[in-house]
Amino acid sequence: MVTIDKMTKDGTYSILSKKERLMIQRERIKLESLYCYKNHLTELDLSKNINLIELYCHSNKLITLDLSNCINLERLYCDLNTKLLNYNNKTEINFL
């Protein structure tokens, strides 16, 4: 499994081999819970995380949040993102 230390500053893995990037994509699809609160994030694109059930992204600086393919999402904790302007989601979820 690829370690986080290979991630570039912009959050991508462009320096990885094709095989390593494919491994990350496969693991990302399996992701069901994500806790990324209090990280000063401004954008979050989880549209490829189709099995995501719960997301804790509160206390960031989110401007854009893309959950467009997260059809299994049941719980979203995204309060204290005072700049959230662009939210994309096609499913009904509970905001907590």
Side-chain angles (χ1 to χ4, degrees):
M1 182 69 192
V2 177
T3 59
I4 194 89
D5 62 342
K6 289 193 175 186
M7 185 185 294
T8 60
K9 288 184 180 181
D10 65 357
T12 63
Y13 293 93
S14 58
I15 60 172
L16 300 179
S17 70
K18 190 174 184 177
K19 181 180 177 182
E20 289 173 315
R21 285 193 301 263
L22 182 59
M23 287 173 54
I24 290 172
Q25 289 173 352
R26 287 180 181 158
E27 290 301 313
R28 184 178 290 158
I29 289 172
K30 296 177 187 177
L31 185 69
E32 292 181 354
S33 297
L34 179 61
Y35 300 86
C36 59
Y37 53 91
K38 296 183 181 179
N39 282 298
H40 303 286
L41 301 175
T42 57
E43 295 180 25
L44 193 54
D45 182 356
L46 299 170
S47 59
K48 294 182 181 177
N49 299 81
I50 58 174
N51 290 313
L52 192 66
I53 295 172
E54 59 183 1
L55 171 61
Y56 296 81
C57 62
H58 61 83
S59 305
N60 280 295
K61 297 180 180 181
L62 288 175
I63 297 170
T64 304
L65 177 59
D66 188 350
L67 302 169
S68 56
N69 294 317
C70 298
I71 58 172
N72 296 312
L73 191 65
E74 296 175 2
R75 291 175 296 281
L76 173 61
Y77 299 85
C78 67
D79 59 326
L80 302 175
N81 279 296
T82 55
K83 297 182 179 185
L84 186 58
L85 302 173
N86 192 2
Y87 169 71
N88 187 3
N89 185 21
K90 296 177 183 173
T91 61
E92 289 187 30
I93 57 173
N94 295 323
F95 285 89
L96 302 169

